[in-house]
Structure formats: structure tokens, C-alpha cells
Amino acid sequence: MKLAETVSPDHVQPVEHNLMPALAAVPDGGCLPNPFYIEEAVFEEEKKRIFAPNWTCIGFGKDVPNIGDARPITFLGIPLLLLRDKSGQVRVFQNVCRHRGMTLVNEPTNFRGVIRCPYHSWCYSLDGALKTTPHLGGPGQNDHPAVSKSELGLYEVRSTVWMDLVFVNLSGDAPAFEDAAATLTSRWSEFEGQAIYHGGPDSSFSLTVASNWKLAVENYCESYHLPWIHPGLNSYSRLEDHYNIIESGDFSGQGTTVYNPSLDNSGRQFSHFKGLSEKWSTCAEYVALYPNVLVGIHKDHFFSILLEPVAQDKTVERVEIYYTSPEMTGGDWADLRARNSEMWKEIFVEDVGVVEGMQRGRHAPDFDGGTLSPVMDTATHAFHAWVADRYSRTAL
Ligand code: FES
Ligand SMILES: [Fe+2]
């Protein structure tokens, strides 16, 4: 059985076939209908059709900074283990012992040698191999011919890291991440391969939103709401200073042509990424990399928002901010970093009200998905089209 087939509880009934006409209409300008935001059954289907077959983000490399660091993560109900192995590579395993299915790691830990199961002490190396099975064959007998240790390593999940974001492909058969994200990485080629440095505790915060995860994506994609929801931001980066970002890849969003950070009156500026072309002296771009990552790139910092879908009407937004050099993460820059975090937090909190309002609105029985502006909502439409396509690929 594939991992992707295990994520829906039995009590949730499959989605009604009558959603399919609405999905079929999405490419021609239609919107995802209400059940895509409010029904548990659709949320359960999305686990199999949207999250498992694609590259879904579950965490950050900075969560396991040192060799041997391991962090349990429950994502979409699946117990996972994020781990940095002896070679320094981030790996993801299912967090389950091959003996009796105990969760192996139950709090963030650093393993110097092996990972020891707390139940009967079976031990695994950091690359997942089962190494020792004490008293397996009876007291004092650590092996038994019927149990082949070499076949009982941890279940590894296909994973990759990009911009410190840890993505997993639960179904195991998605195209390579490099191919899936190629359009975005080529759009941002000037930043590719440049190191980023997390700002530390002052550059990290979470928001819990009473909304479906897709509304967080949709709100992030567009700048149409800027004058009314972000009056502060709009005072220096107006609606007409923004442009839509629509390409063929699995992302859409918007950018500004007037990014000019002025966080305090000192005139200090965070150091910039190296070798950027003229465009990036004033442009900054904000895109949703489908399904569940929102990223923002600027000449002087990068941020990402991991959307953790907790339920059809609850999402945790985890925000992490990165800078361009180790110096920017030190004490001399703490005040400016804190101000930058505050500024973004204010903006993202301003968004919470409308995202939650759209969620409530989707209980209005006659709401038909809405009416998109053919000019201002194109990034939202691109996302709807992507969801409809991916959702429809799996036959009911
Ligand atoms: S469940 Fe892990 S050793 Fe028994
Ligand atoms: Fe916003």
C-alpha cells in the first residue's frame, strides 16, 4: 500500500460526483465551489489528490541545524521524522518503529549514535538502517533467523530542500522537484545557489487562521486588496506599482516595482544578495509555490510561509525570515531584524481578517465560487485551475 492511500479516515465519505462539473468549469474562468473550503470529505480527498502526489512542504532545514538533530512532525495526520544525517543531509522518515509501531522520536532530540526506540530498544542508524534488536531471540540473544534486520530499516519519504524549505513527495512518484519547480527557479535564477541565513528567534512566528489553506494561498497571490487591507503598505507601494506573476509552472503571485526598505531612521540596510541585476534593486516578488508554500524574495531578505492545513477550516501559518550573510543574523542587526519581522507580522495579521471572512462567506448557500476580475485575479485563477486539474487527475 502506498503512503498516499493511508491518509483518509474511513468515516469520511468520498466526494460527491456532482463537484466534477464545477471543477470542469474552472479552466474557463470558474472558481472552486464552497465544498472545497468547508467540507471535511473534500479536505480528506485533498490529502490524497493534492498533497501526497505533489511536493508538499513540511518544515525547514533550520529546524535540524546539527548532524544528528531529529524533530518529529505530524503533518496531515502522518507521523514524520525530520533528521540531519551524518553527511549533513536532511532526510525524512516515517516516524515509526518497525517492531510494534511505536512512534520512534517523540520530541526534538540530537542523536549522537543511534536512534533508540523507547519501547523495546531497537536501534536505527541515522540513515535509517536497523542496527540492533536486543533480546529479540530470547534473553541474551540479540538476533533470530526469522527476522532479517537488513530488510527492516525505517521507511524513508522522498524529500528535498530548496531555500531551506523541506518538501516531501508522499506518493513517491511526482516529477523531480527540480523539474516541478523549474519555472520558478529559473525566474529567480539570480538568487539560486546563494546561501541564506535564518535570522534566529526574532525572525520566526506563527499565526493560526480559522480558514481553509487555499484561501491563504489565494489572498497571498493577489495585490488587489492592498489599498483597503494594507493601508500602511499601500502608502509607499501602491496598487499600480504591482504586477501579476503567472507562468506555466506550479506557482503564481504578484510583485512590486518599488521595494525600498526603510525600517528605521538610521539609514542602515541589510546586505544584499550578490550580483543582482538592476531589476532587483527595486523589485520584490511574492509567489505561492503550490500547494502550501508562500515565499517572498527581496534584494536583502527572503521569507517563507509554510501553510500547515490542520482541518478544512483551520490552517497554521509558519513564517521564517532569512538574510543574505551571517553578519545580518548577529546582535548588531537585532533591532532592524525585529522591525522587519514586526512589519511583516502586521501585514500578515491584516490579512487574517479577510481570509477568515472568506471562509465564513463560503457557508452562504447561494455563493457559487464568486466572480474573478479578469485583470486583478489572474493569479488566483491560476491556482484554482491547478487545484482543479490535480484534483481531477485521480478518478473518483
Ligand atoms: S516498538 Fe520499537 S522496539 Fe518495540
Ligand atoms: Fe495581503
Side-chain angles (χ1 to χ4, degrees):
M1 176 176 274
K2 278 191 188 155
L3 185 57
E5 292 165 357
T6 67
V7 292
S8 278
D10 291 341
H11 70 277
V12 176
Q13 296 304 308
V15 172
E16 298 296 330
H17 289 233
N18 62 15
L19 286 180
M20 284 323 209
L23 289 183
V26 168
D28 298 324
C31 297
L32 298 174
N34 289 353
F36 271 77
Y37 300 87
I38 63 176
E39 283 191 12
E40 185 185 2
V42 176
F43 182 66
E44 292 301 329
E45 287 295 316
E46 284 181 339
K47 293 180 183 178
K48 290 186 285 191
R49 298 167 184 237
I50 303 286
F51 295 109
N54 292 294
W55 288 99
T56 295
C57 187
I58 59 151
F60 300 86
K62 72 163 198 77
D63 294 342
V64 286
N66 304 306
I67 285 172
D69 282 350
R71 175 178 289 264
I73 294 175
T74 302
F75 195 87
L76 301 173
I78 302 171
L80 298 172
L81 179 62
L82 180 64
L83 180 147
R84 194 172 292 274
D85 74 10
K86 282 219 165 87
S87 69
Q89 191 193 333
V90 170
R91 297 170 80 149
V92 180
F93 297 98
Q94 295 181 45
N95 186 14
V96 65
C97 178
R98 294 293 302 268
H99 178 216
R100 297 289 298 122
M102 169 80 184
T103 49
L104 200 56
V105 179
N106 296 291
E107 57 189 25
T109 314
N110 180 271
F111 293 102
R112 292 185 189 283
V114 290
I115 306 169
R116 189 182 67 78
C117 178
Y119 199 177
H120 311 92
S121 264
W122 286 24
C123 291
Y124 301 84
S125 60
L126 292 183
D127 61 5
L130 177 60
K131 302 306 270 188
T132 55
T133 50
H135 310 304
L136 173 79
Q141 299 295 321
N142 294 340
D143 290 293
H144 188 281
V147 177
S148 170
K149 287 212 289 287
S150 63
E151 292 166 18
L152 293 172
L154 298 180
Y155 298 110
E156 184 154 11
V157 179
R158 191 172 176 220
S159 67
T160 196
V161 180
W162 176 74
M163 297 298 266
D164 203 45
L165 293 153
V166 180
F167 295 86
V168 295
N169 169 225
L170 294 165
S171 67
D173 58 3
F177 179 83
E178 294 70 31
D179 296 335
T183 330
L184 180 58
T185 54
S186 110
R187 181 182 185 93
W188 288 356
S189 60
E190 294 181 40
F191 300 91
E192 275 297 295
Q194 298 213 35
I196 53 172
Y197 302 86
H198 189 261
D202 58 33
S203 302
S204 192
F205 60 91
S206 291
L207 301 170
T208 300
V209 186
S211 143
N212 186 272
W213 65 277
K214 294 190 291 301
L215 292 173
V217 172
E218 294 164 24
N219 175 66
Y220 188 79
C221 280
E222 51 101 336
S223 51
Y224 189 7
H225 65 277
L226 216 109
W228 307 285
I229 304 304
H230 305 301
L233 180 61
N234 190 62
S235 66
Y236 57 86
S237 183
R238 301 156 308 161
L239 190 58
E240 50 269 48
D241 298 323
H242 288 74
Y243 54 94
N244 296 326
I245 299 172
I246 315 284
E247 290 197 55
S248 58
D250 297 347
F251 70 99
S252 60
Q254 44 101 9
T256 175
T257 57
V258 295
Y259 178 65
N260 180 25
S262 168
L263 292 166
D264 68 4
N265 296 324
S266 68
R268 286 180 304 158
Q269 295 236 332
F270 294 122
S271 62
H272 295 180
F273 285 103
K274 295 185 186 66
L276 296 181
S277 59
E278 187 54 31
K279 166 185 171 173
W280 295 105
S281 61
T282 54
C283 284
E285 297 195 338
Y286 307 94
V287 307
L289 180 56
Y290 313 151
N292 71 325
V293 173
L294 315 177
V295 281
I297 195 98
H298 319 74
K299 62 188 172 189
D300 62 345
H301 72 288
F302 168 77
F303 69 71
S304 46
I305 308 174
L306 192 175
L307 300 176
E308 184 194 345
V310 178
Q312 68 274 17
D313 55 0
K314 184 177 176 186
T315 304
V316 173
E317 301 184 353
R318 205 178 140 194
V319 184
E320 304 289 354
I321 306 176
Y322 295 81
Y323 293 91
T324 66
S325 70
E327 190 196 344
M328 296 301 107
T329 69
D332 290 349
W333 294 84
D335 57 332
L336 220 56
R337 281 199 314 274
R339 182 63 204 116
N340 198 30
S341 296
E342 249 170 62
M343 181 197 74
W344 283 120
K345 190 167 185 178
E346 277 167 24
I347 290 170
F348 299 147
V349 167
E350 287 170 348
D351 284 318
V352 168
V354 287
V355 170
E356 292 185 339
M358 286 194 287
Q359 180 71 21
R360 292 192 298 276
R362 274 159 181 73
H363 290 274
D366 285 344
F367 183 71
D368 61 356
T371 309
L372 295 177
S373 158
V375 179
M376 306 304 282
D377 291 319
T378 49
T380 301
H381 185 251
F383 175 61
H384 279 207
W386 183 86
V387 170
D389 173 59
R390 299 303 160 113
Y391 198 91
S392 308
R393 283 186 192 185
T394 312
L396 283 167

